[in-house]
């Protein structure tokens, strides 16, 4: 069974990190109930008024109520910890997938458990399941469905509300019960750009080099050192001299997905950085599935990189690295990367909003250094002129001209720029530039 | 749940009956004040029924107690009667609270009563002290009256401690 990422579902389940029960205790922060201040205020006003009016019978009437409150307050020695036993069906999910969190909350003796809620950050959305029960005998058992909303790491908090001393004291206990990683979702790509010059690594691509392989490349005269099994006996018999069959070597490509994290533009749908991360993961997944070496590099913000490699373990390393990609304000630059991150001859698929002129310079520099490049423009919006402002419209036109100039500069050095528009799948965007290998070499 | 409903209605009826009895036996006022008293107690009865049916609405229980307070304000009563009326109000409020908790989840009555024992003890102590102080002859000085009340409260506290040991 394979999923949309082309990976074994069973292997993914193995890596989700099925959780065992986690037992925690949360400290209750006690406070007086909100109505107590109002009751005390009424009492403070009513007692002098009744005494002044000589109505001591009213004071006697209020005495039991005051005494009950005082007795509850005086004897209040509630416990200060709530115990929870939490299990999660997974610790790692992809965007759009769900996990089930089951919690058993137990309040200490003498404390009334009112309820429990699950709180998460924006990476997860929480929905209580109908199976969640009401508190019974100081214990509550509840289930919540947590759905991955956006990429990132999220701490899941359990907040229990309690009451004690006959309602005079109310308290809350908030405790971290789980850490969940939400991996970005990836599209399934049918084709990924690859370079012309393939490194000497065993793979699936037919390169220009001749050697051991299956695909026919040509016939030439036998030379000392050629293996006997490569002799073409039909041609040898016809020409009277030994000839051998040449074959094309099957080589692996190196593909690196580069993310421009120098800016994160919010736009309808995913932001530019989220779109870049999803695109990078799609490229890496497709390349790994094809048998190529694939890596990732995030530049401009928090620099994260992984040198091209193979295998399932590498795939999960890439996922973990992409979780930490954050926007920054540093200009795009690759000088801080070690050479292994961008190996010579690798095909680079760059996801960028192309908002910074310096980015175009860096990309052109990479192209001059011999990398085959494809730039995917992830910007899906543009500035909106303010109504009634004539200057804004001119500024927007100049901005468009500037972007067109950047694309022209890149085209002049042989870097194709494709736009990932809204409603378009990345496969449609990359397929045209994947038909032919990306030209590399120094220019 | 049905027992809780009956408890609410019962304690509410006791509360209103104590208030009505105390005010009715007090020195009679004019006819208008009696009419007002009847009206207030009727509203209180409706509030008791409402609080019993919907214990989650705290305003209904508060309205019932407020009606008793208004009745006592309209007609001065003896200190003992006022103390009993206060205890009846407390009983009604606790019954509503028990019913509210029982509607959301099963309640162990023994554990619940044990948890509310400090409230009952506190109410008994302050009520006895207040009744004793308010019942003191008018000629006594405030200091002596207070001492009598404190002594009575302390005796009640000791008695409660001996009973609940």
């Amino acid at each position: 069974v394979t999923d949309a990422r082309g990976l074994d579902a069973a292997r993914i389940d193995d890596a989700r990190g099925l959780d065992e029960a986690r037992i925690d205790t949360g400290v209750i922060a006690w406070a007086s109930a909100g109505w107590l201040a109002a009751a005390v205020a009424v009492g403070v006003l009513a007692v002098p008024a009744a005494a002044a009016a000589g109505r001591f019978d009213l004071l006697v009437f209020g005495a039991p109520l005051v005494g009950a409150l005082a007795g509850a307050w005086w004897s209040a020695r509630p416990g200060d910890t709530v115990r929870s036993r939490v299990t999660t069906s997974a610790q790692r999910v992809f965007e759009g997938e769900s996990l089930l969190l089951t919690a058993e909350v137990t309040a200490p003796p003498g404390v009334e458990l009112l309820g429990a809620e699950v709180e998460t950050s924006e990476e997860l959305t929480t929905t209580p399941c109908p199976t969640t029960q009401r508190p019974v005998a100081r214990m509550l058992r509840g289930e919540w469905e947590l759905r991955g909303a956006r990429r990132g790491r999220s701490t899941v908090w359990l907040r229990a509300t309690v009451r004690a001393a006959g309602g005079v004291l109310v308290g809350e206990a908030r405790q971290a019960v789980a850490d969940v990683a939400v991996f970005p979702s990836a599209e399934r790509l049918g084709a990924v750009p690859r370079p012309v010059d393939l490194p000497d690594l065993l793979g699936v691509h037919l390169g220009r080099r001749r050697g051991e392989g299956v695909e026919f490349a040509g016939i030439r005269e036998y030379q000392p050192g050629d293996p006997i099994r490569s002799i073409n006996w039909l041609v040898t018999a016809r020409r009277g001299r030994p000839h051998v069959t040449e074959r094309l070597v099957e080589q692996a490509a190196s593909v690196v997905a580069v993310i421009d994290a120098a800016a994160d533009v919010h736009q309808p749908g995913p932001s530019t950085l989220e779109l870049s991360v999803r695109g990078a993961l799609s490229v890496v997944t497709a390349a790994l599935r094809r048998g190529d070496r694939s890596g990732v590099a995030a530049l401009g913000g928090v620099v994260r990189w992984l040198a091209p490699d193979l295998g399932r373990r590498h795939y999960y390393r890439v996922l973990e690295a992409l979780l930490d990609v954050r926007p920054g304000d540093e200009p795009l630059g690759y000088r801080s990367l070690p050479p292994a991150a961008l190996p010579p001859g690798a095909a680079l698929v760059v996801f960028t909003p192309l908002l910074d002129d310096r980015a175009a310079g860096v990309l052109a520099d990479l192209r001059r250094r011999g990398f085959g490049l494809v730039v995917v423009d992830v910007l899906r919006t543009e500035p909106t002129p303010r109504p009634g402002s004539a200057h804004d419209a001119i500024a927007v036109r100049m901005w468009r001209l500037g972007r067109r100039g950047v694309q022209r500069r890149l085209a002049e050095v042989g870097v194709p720029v494709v736009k990932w528009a809204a409603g378009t799948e990345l496969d449609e965007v990359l397929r045209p530039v994947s038909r032919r290998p990306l030209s590399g070499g120094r220019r | 749940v049905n027992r809780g409903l009956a408890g609410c209605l019962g304690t509410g009826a006791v509360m209103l009956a104590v208030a009505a009895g105390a005010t009715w036996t007090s020195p009679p006022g004019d006819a208008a004040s009696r009419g007002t008293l009847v009206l207030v107690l009727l509203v209180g009865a409706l509030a008791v029924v409402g609080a019993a049916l919907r214990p989650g609405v705290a305003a209904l229980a508060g309205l019932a107690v407020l009606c008793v307070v208004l009745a006592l304000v309209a007609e001065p009563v003896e200190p003992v009667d006022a103390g009993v009326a206060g205890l009846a109000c407390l009983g009604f409020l606790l019954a509503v609270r028990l019913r509210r908790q029982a509607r959301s989840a099963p309640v162990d009555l023994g554990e619940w009563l044990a948890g509310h024992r400090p409230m009952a003890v506190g109410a008994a102590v302050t009520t006895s002290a207040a009744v004793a102080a308010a019942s003191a002859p008018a000629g006594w000085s405030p200091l002596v009256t207070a001492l009598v009340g404190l002594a009575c409260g302390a005796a009640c506290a000791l008695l409660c401690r001996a009973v609940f040991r």
Side-chain angles (χ1 to χ4, degrees), chain A residues 251-290:
Chain A
Q251 296 170 279
S254 291
V255 180
V256 178
V258 180
I259 297 169
D260 179 2
D264 187 15
V265 180
H266 294 274
Q267 55 189 2
S271 69
T272 57
L273 186 59
E274 291 303 316
L275 212 53
S276 301
V277 169
R278 289 182 192 176
L281 181 61
S282 303
V283 167
V284 168
T285 307
L288 290 176
R289 195 173 58 241
R290 196 171 61 183

Side-chain angles (χ1 to χ4, degrees), chain B residues 24 28-38 75:
Chain B
W24 223 262
D30 55 356
S33 69
R34 284 295 164 96
T36 306
L37 190 64
V38 170
E75 295 287 345

Side-chain angles (χ1 to χ4, degrees), chain A residues 386-404:
Chain A
R386 287 170 295 188
S389 170
H391 304 295
D392 283 4
I394 296 172
V396 170
R397 284 179 62 191
M398 290 176 66
W399 177 82
R400 285 188 196 132
L401 282 172
R403 276 175 57 82
R404 223 172 286 165

